[in-house]
Amino acid sequence: MPQPWWRSAVFYQVYVRSFADSDDDGIGDLPGITSHLEHVRDLGADAIWITPFYPSPQKDHGYDVSDYFEVNPEYGTLDDFDGLLERAHELRLKVLVDIVPNHTSDQHDWFRAAVSAPDNSFRERYHFADPKPDGAPPNNWTSSFGGPAWSPEPAGKQWYLHLFAPEQPDLNWWNPAVPKEFERILEFWLDRSADGFRIDVAAALFKRRDLEDRPFLIDPITGLPKFDSDFAIVDQPQLHDVYRRWRQIANGYEPARVLVGEIFDPRRHAKYIVPDQLHMAFALIHQRWDAGLWRRSIENSRRALQGPGAGPTWTLANHDVVRPVTRLGGGSLGRCRARAALLLLLGLPGQVFLYQGEELGLEEADMPDSARQDPIFLRTEGRLKGRDGCRVPLPWRRGRPNAGFSNANPWLPMPAGWDQFAVEAQAGAGDSTLAHFRRALAARRRLWNRLPERVDWLHTPDGVLAYARGPLVVACNFLSRPARLRLQGRLEAASEPLVAEKTGILHLPPNSAAWLLRVARPRQADGREALTSA
Ligand code: GLC
């Protein structure tokens, strides 16, 4: 049976505010995306995921939606959305829309109605509760952005729940009007030809019904109190019925549409990634640069999803985490490691999500505190820097104002010299990060049909990982010194400029990876033979 298009696909995440600005207001927009889609096609991706572009007061940069059926005027119009889809489909790129079902904006009509009167029926669509007798919040849950998960309503006596910012009140999924509305929202975008959804905070929609305090435990090691992590606030079983219904809706289109859940913990994946619910969830590899930790993390994600219908969705970056180049050591060291990490993950069975700018080797950008806009920074009074550093607009052209992103100052400032990473500057340079990404994605596409699902880890010295997938051998040197490995069989380089000799000795520079093709099988192939320190 042919595989559905999304199996093994490479997705490219577009952060709409920072991708490309078509009208010179310093803010990215939908026409900007449309006119730069060739970049994604040339990179070799199969699909894009666009972060929320709905009307929003931008308290969490689009993840606070005030109207799910419109486009934020800053980003364009519904016609611009249709134009984007049309162009993407011409280029054979699929498009995923970001759906935000856990919370609305406090400026959404529903919430405005809810707080307009103590007996307004829309209150049942959110979580309102009385404070404790001493005036404390209704329970001790905390917001992911810092502080309590409850705020007092503006006028009135009750408090409302928000697992994120106070401007993002959580919806009450126990109220049937809420699931019903989201089915309408899904159909609205699918009818406009969207190819699927990335579902924001996908495991959280239903909150435990009793809204009980989260118990404290005494940590046996430190002796300090800590929250009981087994006390489930979210992940309620009723959510699975919602996703079964969403899957039916997705399957009602031809070809079937795709559902990607924002769920990172591999222990949760098996519950949601099943044939009648979601197709994918993220396997985010964020460990420090250590061969053992990476192998364990890869194996945890692989073990979580076994079977022919699903595989891990490898991810190194998104708009919420420090950029991998910076995480992995910064500068040219971080860039080398990020390139190696890409090769290591791209060879594995499963899907891959890239985040805009990863292909340019962008680092986390620094900026003055006065420029920071992330609610995490604002709500923690600067204790946490927040996520602005990975959201700085993309550099497109060298020597142009604002690196060709916009003629106006961008909404987040670019560091000096940002244009050296511009797409245009890297496109023609064979040793650039962009060229590396293009080569690697092209090699993956070329080889993919020949590769079995099965992965055999090879015996390697400490600090080096290698696996075989049929004829493909992927080796990655995590060490800061070169590694020499002996590999049996006749070899050819599959991606990078040649690093393997036909002699079977593989020279891996520090912090690098290679893809090799075995053109002849080794004499004995038991997975133990292949690599030894030479
Ligand atoms: C998700 C988004 C993040 C947002 C949060 C609340 O984790 O990726 O950017 O702040 O949900 O919607």
Side-chain angles (χ1 to χ4, degrees), residues 411-461:
W411 70 283
L412 287 174
M414 291 174 166
W418 201 234
D419 68 338
Q420 67 180 296
F421 300 111
V423 174
E424 187 195 48
Q426 296 198 37
D431 60 349
S432 68
T433 302
L434 179 58
H436 173 86
F437 270 66
R438 286 179 177 171
R439 270 199 303 271
L441 265 62
R444 177 178 154 110
R445 195 181 282 269
R446 211 171 43 239
L447 293 174
W448 209 252
N449 290 337
R450 295 168 53 191
L451 303 181
E453 289 283 302
R454 186 189 158 113
V455 171
D456 292 306
W457 290 98
L458 305 180
H459 278 239
T460 44

Side-chain angles (χ1 to χ4, degrees), residues 60 63 103 145 164 198 200-201 262 319-320 387 391:
D60 187 20
Y63 286 96
H103 43 265
F145 290 167
F164 295 91
R198 176 266 190 190
D200 193 54
V201 227
E262 194 208 7
H319 65 293
D320 293 328
R387 302 162 293 179
R391 298 175 176 182

Side-chain angles (χ1 to χ4, degrees), residues 100-104 125-128 139 141-142 144 149-150 160-164 168-175 178 200-212 231-239 268 272:
V100 189
N102 181 64
H103 43 265
T104 67
R125 299 184 184 197
Y126 296 90
H127 295 281
F128 284 90
N139 70 26
W141 300 359
T142 49
S144 305
W150 295 86
Y160 66 91
L161 178 71
H162 53 86
L163 292 188
F164 295 91
Q168 294 168 296
D170 276 53
L171 284 163
N172 176 9
W173 274 79
W174 299 98
N175 180 330
V178 172
D200 193 54
V201 227
L205 314 193
F206 288 83
K207 314 297 168 317
R208 61 181 298 135
R209 222 166 182 172
D210 58 15
L211 300 179
E212 281 289 314
F231 180 82
I233 289 176
V234 296
D235 278 313
Q236 302 295 304
Q238 289 71 12
L239 183 49
R268 291 158 125 185
Y272 292 94

Side-chain angles (χ1 to χ4, degrees), residues 45 112 161 318 429 499 511:
R112 285 155 59 120
L161 178 71
N318 63 35
V499 279
N511 303 301

